[in-house]
């Protein structure tokens, strides 16, 4: 069956934990980059931060 088939697969607690950890890290990174862009004063660093968001 395909990805949308009727096959049900239970994922383990470790897999859920890994997905949650990745989601939280990515969410935090977005906030940190937005903050850095607001406070950065170095003209050479700002373009680097700008491309990372």
């Amino acid at each position: 069956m395909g990805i949308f088939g009727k096959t049900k697969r239970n994922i383990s607690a470790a897999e859920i934990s890994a997905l949650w950890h990745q989601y939280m890290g990515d969410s935090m990174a977005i906030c940190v980059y937005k903050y850095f862009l607001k406070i950065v004063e170095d003209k050479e660093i700002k373009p680097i931060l700008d491309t990372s968001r």
Side-chain angles (χ1 to χ4, degrees):
M1 298 236 159
I3 194 168
F4 297 109
K6 295 190 181 215
T7 304
K8 184 176 179 182
R9 180 178 180 262
N10 294 328
I11 61 175
S12 69
E15 291 170 320
I16 292 172
S17 174
L19 289 171
W20 183 252
H21 186 265
Q22 185 70 44
Y23 171 77
M24 293 301 289
D26 291 347
S27 298
M28 182 193 68
I30 291 168
C31 295
V32 169
Y33 285 131
K34 285 181 181 180
Y35 174 72
F36 282 166
L37 278 171
K38 287 185 180 189
I39 66 166
V40 69
E41 296 176 358
D42 191 331
K43 302 283 189 220
E44 294 179 17
I45 300 295
K46 187 166 181 144
I48 295 169
L49 289 173
D50 206 18
T51 59
S52 65
R53 61 181 170 126

